[in-house]
Amino acid sequence: MIFFKKKPDHTITILPHPEVCPAGEVIPAIQGRSIVENLLASDMEISHSCQMQCACITCHVYVIEGEAFVTVMDDDEDRELNKTQGRQGWSRLACQAIFEGGGDMVIEICD
Ligand code: FES
């Protein structure tokens, strides 16, 4: 559990993941940063093998809540996501989903 010095305007709740955050976490959501950048800023080591170039699927997440608060998926992300068997309607590549503000998010990191 992270204790904030100042309550952030918005947060990203990460559901428990065995390697990244076994107990789950709540981190500040910073506007203008991707979900990956927000997690890394809070020392959450989500995989990002292509260095956020939209050329892998290691940053695949499910956006459980708050889809409206990130940028819309473009064709490159859509094409890359088609490579994962676990794709769902709420799938995103966390390096391509930029937090635009407006509310809190809940995500699940995929394997
Ligand atoms: S880090 Fe490779 S697509 Fe996101």
Side-chain angles (χ1 to χ4, degrees), residues 54 60-63 67-84 87-98 100:
C54 196
H60 179 205
V61 297
Y62 294 141
V63 177
E67 179 183 351
F69 308 132
V70 291
T71 50
V72 175
M73 182 183 306
D74 65 16
D75 291 344
D76 289 341
E77 181 183 356
D78 185 44
R79 186 171 41 253
E80 205 62 34
L81 269 172
N82 280 334
K83 298 177 182 174
T84 180
R87 182 173 185 170
Q88 301 290 338
W90 49 93
S91 287
R92 291 300 304 264
L93 293 178
C95 71
Q96 301 301 302
I98 311 297
E100 297 186 304

Side-chain angles (χ1 to χ4, degrees), residues 36 47-60 80 93-96:
V36 167
S47 295
H48 53 289
S49 296
C50 72
Q51 303 304 314
M52 300 179 259
Q53 298 301 307
C54 196
C56 72
I57 52 172
T58 60
C59 69
H60 179 205
E80 205 62 34
L93 293 178
C95 71
Q96 301 301 302

